Amino acid sequence: MSTETDPAAAPFESAAVPHQTTAPPDENSGSDTSAKPDMTGERKPNPVAAWAGAQARRTSDGARSLGQWVGHWASTADQSGEEIRRRLVAAQLEGHTERRTELAQALAKATKKVVRLEEEAADGGLTQAQRGDLTLTRETARRLEKTLRDMAKVPFRGVQPTERQIARARSLGRLRRGAALLGAATATVMLLVHQPQIGLLALLAATGLAWWTGGHPPRLTHRPVPADLLLPELDAPAKLLTTEPLPAEAAAEANLELFPGDTGKPFPIRTAGDDPAMAGASILRALVDEGLAVGAVTDVTREKWGWKATAHLTKGKPSGLVLRLPELDVALGVRTGGVMAQPQAAAAGSVVLRILLSDPFDPMPPHPVHAPRSNSILKPVNLGPSLDGTPTQITLAGQNIMVIAVSGGGKSQIVRNLVDYITSCTDAIALDIDPTGRGFGPLRRLAAIRAYKEEEIDEALNWAIREAELRTERMGDDVDNWQVTADAPAVFAIVDEHPQLTPKQKQKVIKLSRIGRKARVTVVLLSQDATSDVVGDAIADTFGIRIMLPSRKADVPLVVGSDTAVSEGWMPHRLSPSPGDWDPADAGCFYIIAPGLRDPILRKATHLDAPIATLRTDERLAAGPAVFAPATAGEDEEEGKEPDLPEILTALLEVFATEDTALLTLDQLHPHLIEHDPARWDRWHDKTEKHRLLEIGKAFGAQFRRDGIELSTERLDELDGRPRGIRRDDLLAAIRHYQQPTTSGD
């Protein structure tokens, strides 16, 4: 270790500091001596020389460390006794495997010869010598087959080496490595003699390596046992006597009798009772019987619902195991969908298996009680338990939510739970949007807006989009998200049966999901499928919470956002929807992707039945509304609230919501206005384009003046030809100005 003083190390406060004499100041110099040279006679160290000395010492230390490392390697001190023991046993295993391979090849050759001789006998008969050869070959084949069966009955058990044998193997290793070093040294000398230029480069490289090693000295210790020596067959006898299952090859080939009448084939896992070793053997046999290359089945544990274990693949991909789950259901004797697989990202060949023998959610915890005005949307809500026993807690504020479930999957159960929590909050409201008219069911009276008809749905979506845009405009530059309160609550537009909306309504839902998150005006989208022709690009990352109940397999990759979602363990398509009230099946069971919840774990929503939901509705209505109810079209505004917008502004807002752009030309606006009011806007189709646009602009100006709207068309300089049009920012500013209370006396 270097004895140089560490500049960061300060002396202890109690340490004695030697007295240093100080020369008296020059009488003519005053009190400032900073400019005077050092008159003590001491020479200041040269910084270049000090740096060079430090680098030389570092290089010297590095060369010494390299020498120690070479000696450590040459003496085989990097190999532990356990590694050498495993290498000796591995040599026995290799010989055992080679012997079995040779027997198998000889049997195949003998069998092929028997087949050929029998075919020749069937064609034209055999000579006496050929008949004798056929008999001898048949006997040889039977003997080889018997030998192979006998080898398969007893798994490989290596003879453990003694300490003397391990020491002898270490000595041989030292000799081999010493010979390798001697050969390398001889080659280096020859290179220096015949190629001095290359030798100089090698010297520079060695110097650089020594310098680097001086700052990163190696640790001289035993290396980890190589992965290829961690086979279970090479374990010490003490480990082989544990309850861990046998390796796959041994278990598949060893016809060991685990119970009376055992045939060596897969058996139902219920036969294992509560014995982890038996359960592991059942799982292992089922996997091997399906042709999977499994090294071992470990971590077998009994759960209240069945068994949990980890399968370790030696080759292939976890997707191969996932594809065989239906066959594993049969082999293990469980219900359809009873075997679940979760590949582990941290270990590519490891797959966690969960085998259900009973309902994992029986007994089911009761649905939580949410008193009126008792919650905040900023706090997490518990949707129900998971298979591993942890609650499913999510925070709804600022989250777009997607719920996908086939008919009978329990979608209404999830919606009822969400609405029950949202309407118990003092800072959130729910919009009930459902083209089928069912809506929230017993909770529908708690909705701030109920929209079941086409025009009602348009009005509700327009209000939500306008609210999101106005909130965004009002937020300051230093505010990232809208701060929800009872007067400005979080808004959840819960859209059921999304495929039945009109194309324009679907576009509005997508627009709201894109612009409303920061304004805390978000979408809860519910659908029976999520294919691209139904939901389209709404599957994008705008939906921070995605819930999949019993679903179609084609929907899983779209919702998860991964082409390999099924092989990653997302399996809502293996859940069974309820056929009716007499059989709940897997209704209400779901997988979820949400902040903090990214693992494919099965979960189940707590159940809120209709009578209890009706009672809670009555309680909350009796307590009074927790938040404001937004005004919809057709309602008279109370004093002090924002007035209704003129028809022209409402029409323009709808057009911008549909087009989702920052500006629109008169030519782009005209088709939408014709659709809105043909009698008013389709009067100039017989005119040229120039005169038609001129009439449209004049009609806009006249309408704006009649309604007292401070808005006009203008030249859009950023577009080719500088056409006239309207900007969305100008439209929103005109709306805000129109909604401000007047202060004049007229």
Side-chain angles (χ1 to χ4, degrees):
M1 180 180 294
S2 175
T3 59
E4 295 178 4
T5 303
D6 187 352
F12 292 107
E13 295 180 359
S14 59
V17 179
H19 177 72
Q20 298 180 6
T21 58
T22 304
D26 196 326
E27 295 179 357
N28 299 325
S29 63
S31 60
D32 184 9
T33 60
S34 60
K36 302 293 290 181
D38 188 359
M39 303 302 293
T40 61
E42 296 180 1
R43 297 181 58 188
K44 294 185 178 179
N46 189 325
V48 176
W51 177 86
Q55 303 311 309
R57 286 190 296 273
R58 173 172 174 166
T59 305
S60 175
D61 292 341
R64 188 180 306 108
S65 297
L66 285 175
Q68 293 173 350
W69 179 85
V70 171
H72 182 77
W73 177 83
S75 64
T76 68
D78 62 322
Q79 291 182 311
S80 63
E82 174 64 10
E83 178 181 344
I84 296 176
R85 183 197 66 77
R86 285 180 173 268
R87 289 189 180 279
L88 294 175
V89 180
Q92 300 176 29
L93 176 60
E94 183 179 359
H96 176 82
T97 305
E98 289 179 355
R99 171 61 177 160
R100 194 170 61 189
T101 303
E102 291 172 358
L103 288 174
Q105 292 174 348
L107 175 60
K109 184 177 180 181
T111 302
K112 185 177 180 180
K113 185 176 181 181
V114 168
V115 172
R116 179 175 57 80
L117 290 173
E118 289 177 345
E119 290 176 349
E120 292 177 359
D123 291 339
L126 297 175
T127 64
Q128 185 68 27
Q130 288 176 326
R131 284 195 295 271
D133 190 16
L134 177 59
T135 302
L136 179 61
T137 305
R138 283 174 175 168
E139 181 62 28
T140 302
R142 282 194 293 268
R143 179 172 48 81
L144 290 172
E145 186 177 6
K146 181 179 182 301
T147 303
L148 278 174
R149 283 200 305 268
D150 292 339
M151 291 186 68
K153 288 181 180 179
V154 181
F156 170 77
R157 289 291 185 269
V159 178
Q160 297 300 316
T162 64
E163 292 296 327
R164 179 175 295 182
Q165 290 172 325
I166 294 175
R168 187 183 300 115
R170 188 182 293 278
S171 298
L172 292 175
R174 290 171 181 169
L175 290 176
R176 286 192 296 269
R177 293 186 177 186
L181 285 177
L182 181 60
T186 303
T188 302
V189 172
M190 296 295 293
L191 182 65
L192 291 174
V193 172
H194 296 286
Q195 297 290 338
Q197 299 89 347
I198 297 179
L200 180 60
L201 292 176
L203 179 61
L204 292 175
T207 302
L209 178 61
W211 178 86
W212 184 88
T213 306
H216 306 80
R219 295 182 59 189
L220 305 182
T221 183
H222 293 320
R223 67 185 183 189
V225 177
D228 59 341
L229 295 179
L230 295 178
L231 298 175
E233 296 94 328
L234 308 182
D235 288 341
K239 189 172 184 180
L240 292 174
L241 293 177
T242 64
T243 58
E244 293 185 4
L246 294 174
E249 295 80 5
E253 298 172 1
N255 191 14
L256 300 178
E257 186 172 320
L258 298 177
F259 50 87
D262 183 14
T263 62
K265 297 294 183 180
F267 57 92
I269 197 169
R270 292 184 185 275
T271 307
D274 293 330
D275 185 358
M278 283 281 287
S282 174
I283 298 170
L284 184 57
R285 286 188 183 182
L287 295 172
V288 173
D289 191 63
E290 290 300 324
L292 297 169
V294 183
V297 174
T298 61
D299 303 324
V300 183
T301 56
R302 188 71 165 94
E303 305 288 346
K304 68 172 186 177
W305 39 260
W307 291 96
K308 180 180 177 182
T310 302
H312 302 275
L313 302 176
T314 57
K315 64 179 179 180
K317 297 181 179 179
S319 58
L321 189 155
V322 173
L323 292 175
R324 290 172 172 81
L325 288 179
E327 289 78 12
L328 292 175
D329 290 342
V330 177
L332 293 171
V334 298
R335 70 173 181 86
T336 301
V339 180
M340 301 178 180
Q342 182 184 354
Q344 301 298 289
S350 298
V351 181
V352 173
L353 299 174
R354 294 178 176 88
I355 300 144
L356 305 183
L357 300 181
S358 61
D359 185 353
F361 304 110
D362 185 22
M364 187 71 182
H367 185 76
V369 176
H370 301 306
R373 304 184 185 184
S374 62
N375 290 311
S376 169
I377 202 65
L378 302 176
K379 295 181 180 179
V381 55
N382 180 15
L383 293 183
S386 66
L387 196 63
D388 57 6
T390 59
T392 306
Q393 290 190 326
I394 56 174
T395 300
L396 302 180
Q399 294 292 340
N400 292 303
I401 305 171
M402 174 174 291
V403 182
I404 302 296
V406 298
S407 179
K411 175 162 53 72
S412 59
Q413 191 168 323
I414 291 286
V415 175
R416 191 174 293 177
N417 289 4
L418 294 175
V419 174
D420 178 49
Y421 184 79
I422 292 171
T423 56
S424 73
C425 295
T426 60
D427 50 8
I429 60 173
L431 313 185
D432 186 3
I433 303 174
D434 185 357
T436 68
R438 176 62 181 171
F440 296 166
L443 297 171
R444 72 171 65 194
R445 290 181 292 159
L446 298 176
I449 294 179
R450 293 192 295 273
Y452 304 142
K453 298 179 181 179
E454 182 175 341
E455 58 274 13
E456 294 174 344
I457 294 174
D458 283 326
E459 291 173 1
L461 292 175
N462 290 339
W463 178 87
I465 292 173
R466 185 165 66 251
E467 182 71 13
E469 291 176 337
L470 292 176
R471 289 185 180 187
T472 302
E473 291 289 331
R474 292 168 185 168
M475 285 194 301
D477 295 338
D478 57 341
V479 178
D480 292 329
N481 299 299
W482 182 264
Q483 303 301 308
V484 296
T485 64
D487 296 326
V491 179
F492 293 88
I494 302 180
V495 184
D496 203 353
E497 298 301 337
H498 175 268
Q500 297 190 31
L501 298 180
T502 65
K504 286 189 176 181
Q505 290 169 349
K506 291 179 181 179
Q507 293 176 359
K508 292 177 182 179
V509 170
I510 295 173
K511 177 181 176 63
L512 181 59
S513 70
R514 289 174 174 168
I515 69 172
R517 188 179 66 82
K518 290 183 177 298
R520 296 300 188 249
V521 182
T522 52
V523 173
V524 180
L525 187 150
L526 304 108
S527 176
Q528 292 191 14
D529 54 66
T531 50
S532 57
D533 58 328
V534 174
V535 179
D537 55 1
I539 295 288
D541 293 338
T542 54
F543 287 86
I545 298 176
R546 284 161 275 173
I547 299 173
M548 294 169 287
L549 294 104
S551 310
R552 303 184 315 156
K553 187 175 182 179
D555 298 333
V556 178
L558 291 171
V559 177
V560 176
S562 170
D563 293 337
T564 59
V566 174
S567 62
E568 293 169 8
W570 299 97
M571 301 178 188
H573 60 287
R574 301 195 78 220
L575 300 175
S576 301
S578 172
D581 294 338
W582 63 89
D583 181 12
D586 292 324
C589 293
F590 65 94
Y591 291 82
I592 185 172
I593 297 175
L597 299 175
R598 295 287 177 179
D599 292 330
I601 301 294
L602 184 64
R603 307 168 188 273
K604 187 170 184 178
T606 54
H607 182 65
L608 176 63
D609 57 29
I612 299 299
T614 303
L615 289 176
R616 295 194 179 182
T617 300
D618 294 338
E619 290 175 356
R620 292 173 189 176
L621 292 177
V627 295
F628 80 102
T632 57
E635 296 182 23
D636 294 330
E637 297 289 348
E638 297 178 3
E639 184 179 356
K641 292 188 177 180
E642 296 175 352
D644 285 332
L645 292 176
E647 182 181 0
I648 185 63
L649 289 182
T650 302
L652 289 175
L653 276 174
E654 291 181 358
V655 175
F656 273 96
T658 301
E659 294 294 338
D660 190 16
T661 183
L663 49 86
L664 288 171
T665 65
L666 296 181
D667 195 32
Q668 292 172 323
L669 288 168
H670 193 205
H672 295 279
L673 296 174
I674 292 175
E675 184 177 352
H676 176 74
D677 187 356
R680 174 73 178 85
W681 296 98
D682 193 16
R683 296 180 295 162
W684 310 289
H685 55 272
D686 57 339
K687 296 183 178 294
T688 63
E689 180 179 0
K690 179 179 179 181
H691 287 87
R692 178 174 60 86
L693 296 178
L694 181 61
E695 292 295 335
I696 295 171
K698 290 164 58 178
F700 267 125
Q703 189 67 50
F704 291 154
R705 287 191 297 272
R706 281 196 300 269
D707 293 336
I709 301 171
E710 294 192 3
L711 181 65
S712 62
T713 62
E714 62 177 279
R715 293 286 181 183
L716 304 178
D717 296 332
E718 56 265 53
L719 299 182
D720 294 338
R722 301 178 63 244
R724 299 194 71 86
I726 295 177
R727 303 177 190 276
R728 181 170 60 184
D729 290 344
D730 294 341
L731 175 62
L732 296 177
I735 291 173
R736 289 195 299 272
H737 185 271
Y738 185 86
Q739 291 175 333
Q740 290 176 355
T742 58
T743 57
S744 61
D746 52 8

